[in-house]
Amino acid sequence: GTGLSNAGSYQVSGKPFVSGGLDATSGEALKITFPSVTRWIYVINHDNGSGAHVKMGFSENGLEGDNWFRIGPQTATETHFTQRLELKVTEIYFTGSSDFDLVAGLTGISPDRITNISPSGSNWSGSVGVG
């Protein structure tokens, strides 16, 4: 079967994965687990509340530490979003916003084909810069 280094898996269009109207304001990190390894990710923040940034990381430890980034809140004239992020991940974590969307392109690589990238299994947790 194919694994992380299979170039063909990243040369074709990704299988669509969409989750809209997400809410990450419960006080705990919102974890999204993908059914296969991503080819790319795109996040749109529609929340227009005061301080309604989406805080995004690639591990729960990263969100609790310094390994995350923010996507600003929507304003009267613009919606804030990421560029298309070309990333191989199997899960992603969010906090902060009460209304954002996640769009991803998936490869055909199953998460169970990835067993050696971190102590926790098929995500990058424990890696430098991830947390």
Side-chain angles (χ1 to χ4, degrees):
T2 58
L4 270 184
S5 298
N6 178 262
S9 295
Y10 301 96
Q11 292 172 331
V12 298
S13 296
K15 178 179 164 185
F17 178 97
V18 178
S19 191
L22 295 168
D23 183 349
T25 59
S26 71
E28 294 185 21
L30 172 64
K31 176 183 175 182
I32 303 293
T33 302
F34 297 105
S36 60
V37 176
T38 61
R39 183 181 182 284
W40 55 265
I41 299 167
Y42 183 74
V43 180
I44 307 115
N45 189 6
H46 298 286
D47 198 338
N48 60 4
S50 176
H53 289 84
V54 176
K55 190 172 160 183
M56 179 176 159
F58 301 101
S59 75
E60 192 167 9
N61 289 338
L63 275 185
E64 293 171 2
D66 297 331
N67 299 311
W68 50 268
F69 63 95
R70 278 184 286 232
I71 304 148
Q74 181 172 308
T75 68
T77 58
E78 61 186 338
T79 299
H80 289 191
F81 52 89
T82 65
Q83 298 297 316
R84 188 172 79 174
L85 304 171
E86 300 277 343
L87 297 167
K88 301 175 188 181
V89 297
T90 58
E91 51 193 51
I92 195 165
Y93 298 79
F94 298 96
T95 60
S97 175
S98 65
D99 185 13
F100 65 99
D101 303 333
L102 169 65
V103 182
L106 304 176
T107 66
I109 303 169
S110 173
D112 65 356
R113 296 287 302 155
I114 305 166
T115 58
N116 62 349
I117 62 175
S118 81
S120 63
S122 66
N123 118 9
W124 301 102
S125 183
S127 300
V128 173
V130 175

